Amino acid sequence: MVSEMNTDYVDLYAAPTWQCVMICWGTKYSTSLINNLARSIAEKASSQPRFILISDRERPDLADNIELVRFPAYWLQDRLKTSGCQAKLVMFDHGIVPTDLPAIYVDLDTIVLGDLSAGLALMQNRQTVAILQSAIIPFGWIGRTLYRWTNRRRYARGNSSFVIYHPAECHFIAERFKALLEQNPGLEFRPMVADERFISWVAQEHMVRIPNSFAVKFPGEFMFHWGFWLYIKARLPWVKSRRKGLVAVTLNGLMIKPEKLLSLKEGDVIVDEKSRKLIWSEKTLGFMRSKIQAFYAGSL
């Protein structure tokens, strides 16, 4: 079977110019799913990345092109592996991700539709940290100004399903968290409540928004409280055009995991913990339904 990868412009043997970072602890995600994600990223990338998987265990069946890095014990504390996912901050620690190349972190429940490396163009400089926007206050001069005026109490916040950063410039994120954890062992300090909130707070001066023309969270893009709006939104020309250009979609949320979606039938409805509806239909999802089915075929 011929690969879909365009070998006319991809040099498989060239030295990597960027890194793709993944993180996994516990048994929630299979190695098959991890391999499938890496394979999809490699097939669609204009330049091949160095793949880094930070894991709490050995994975003998891991693909040869994925380098496994073991979690330091510090980041496997039970208090850091709850819903706040503070253990993900390991990606910024010393000695974990090589510091020679910029990196793009992706959650494992991500569907890759295009060239992920294109996201590196969002970096304004080596200090840039880019994530998805998740609050009303926007990243940029407004967020930074509010951050300064309120003595760091108000700031723009994002979602860490994707993180674009340079490992050499971001060790301060892990260092600051460790220092604050000693002072707040119960994670009492509000910015420490979750990894993405902490990243947004500590690196606010360097934060950049990943636009929804590049990547989206599935619930925010394809779910809503009113089902009729999903049908209308899917037919809007500018929405259809933007969705066609999406590079990645993350299936964040307990109700929309791949195995759940693949079990749905035409017209089935899912309501998540925020009362948002998903209608499993081509009329509301367009090409995304078949993309999800094809992406996970044989990997679950």
Side-chain angles (χ1 to χ4, degrees), residues 241-254:
S241 176
R242 179 176 56 78
R243 287 179 175 179
K244 286 181 180 180
L246 283 173
V247 171
V249 178
T250 180
L251 303 178
N252 64 310
L254 297 176

Side-chain angles (χ1 to χ4, degrees), residues 71-131:
F71 257 100
Y74 179 91
W75 295 105
L76 292 176
Q77 301 175 58
D78 289 340
R79 58 182 168 170
L80 305 183
K81 296 188 296 178
T82 61
S83 59
C85 293
Q86 294 87 347
K88 284 172 62 175
L89 296 175
V90 69
M91 75 175 89
F92 304 113
D93 210 351
H94 289 275
I96 302 300
V97 180
T99 58
D100 58 335
L101 298 174
I104 300 179
Y105 164 81
V106 292
D107 271 354
L108 297 180
D109 50 7
T110 296
I111 298 173
V112 177
L113 306 170
D115 181 6
L116 197 65
S117 68
L120 296 172
L122 295 172
M123 298 187 72
Q124 298 172 351
N125 51 56
R126 280 170 53 110
Q127 287 74 42
T128 294
V129 179
I131 61 178

Side-chain angles (χ1 to χ4, degrees), residues 5-297:
M5 181 166 53
N6 185 350
T7 53
D8 290 337
Y9 68 93
V10 175
D11 187 346
L12 298 178
Y13 303 101
T17 57
W18 65 288
Q19 306 176 84
C20 179
V21 179
M22 302 174 285
I23 295 176
C24 185
W25 66 81
T27 58
K28 181 179 179 180
Y29 296 99
S30 68
T31 304
S32 175
L33 185 145
I34 295 170
N35 289 342
N36 182 62
L37 176 58
R39 180 171 57 251
S40 179
I41 292 170
E43 288 179 347
K44 295 175 175 62
S46 58
S47 62
Q48 291 302 293
R50 173 195 298 143
F51 286 100
I52 303 289
L53 173 67
I54 306 170
S55 177
D56 62 346
R57 65 198 64 207
E58 294 298 323
R59 292 180 174 269
D61 49 349
L62 194 65
D64 292 340
N65 65 331
I66 304 176
E67 178 184 345
L68 188 143
V69 177
R70 290 295 294 267
F71 257 100
Y74 179 91
W75 295 105
L76 292 176
Q77 301 175 58
D78 289 340
R79 58 182 168 170
L80 305 183
K81 296 188 296 178
T82 61
S83 59
C85 293
Q86 294 87 347
K88 284 172 62 175
L89 296 175
V90 69
M91 75 175 89
F92 304 113
D93 210 351
H94 289 275
I96 302 300
V97 180
T99 58
D100 58 335
L101 298 174
I104 300 179
Y105 164 81
V106 292
D107 271 354
L108 297 180
D109 50 7
T110 296
I111 298 173
V112 177
L113 306 170
D115 181 6
L116 197 65
S117 68
L120 296 172
L122 295 172
M123 298 187 72
Q124 298 172 351
N125 51 56
R126 280 170 53 110
Q127 287 74 42
T128 294
V129 179
I131 61 178
L132 295 172
Q133 187 85 38
S134 68
I136 296 175
I137 301 172
F139 288 122
W141 71 268
I142 296 177
R144 290 192 296 270
T145 300
L146 191 60
Y147 181 70
R148 297 164 187 164
W149 283 358
T150 63
N151 194 24
R152 300 184 294 178
R153 291 191 300 274
R154 297 287 184 271
Y155 50 95
R157 302 198 308 272
N159 175 275
S160 63
S161 296
F162 307 96
V163 183
I164 303 172
Y165 70 109
H166 201 299
E169 306 296 338
C170 290
H171 292 143
F172 74 95
I173 297 176
E175 291 170 352
R176 183 68 171 138
F177 183 85
K178 288 181 177 181
L180 286 170
L181 190 58
E182 290 186 8
Q183 303 168 20
N184 305 270
L187 302 169
E188 303 90 348
F189 184 45
R190 185 62 179 168
M192 299 176 70
V193 70
D195 70 294
E196 52 206 15
R197 183 182 284 261
F198 188 78
I199 295 169
S200 300
W201 175 77
V202 75
Q204 184 69 201
E205 299 286 359
H206 308 291
M207 299 300 298
V208 170
R209 167 181 168 267
I210 295 177
N212 63 0
S213 57
F214 181 82
V216 296
K217 296 178 290 183
F218 186 91
E221 180 66 31
F222 297 99
M223 301 179 70
F224 199 68
H225 302 90
W226 307 325
F228 72 87
W229 170 245
L230 297 176
Y231 291 98
I232 296 173
K233 183 178 181 180
R235 296 177 65 86
L236 297 175
W238 57 90
V239 172
K240 293 171 67 174
S241 176
R242 179 176 56 78
R243 287 179 175 179
K244 286 181 180 180
L246 283 173
V247 171
V249 178
T250 180
L251 303 178
N252 64 310
L254 297 176
M255 297 301 295
I256 55 168
K257 294 309 177 190
E259 59 274 15
K260 175 71 174 179
L261 296 181
L262 294 186
S263 70
L264 298 177
K265 299 178 181 178
E266 171 68 27
D268 281 353
V269 177
I270 290 179
V271 180
D272 71 5
E273 65 280 1
K274 295 182 179 180
S275 299
R276 295 174 297 192
K277 294 180 180 179
L278 160 66
I279 301 176
W280 188 250
S281 170
E282 187 174 346
K283 294 179 180 179
T284 59
L285 299 173
F287 70 91
M288 187 54 61
R289 187 177 68 163
S290 60
K291 290 290 186 180
I292 292 172
Q293 294 169 329
F295 190 86
Y296 289 110

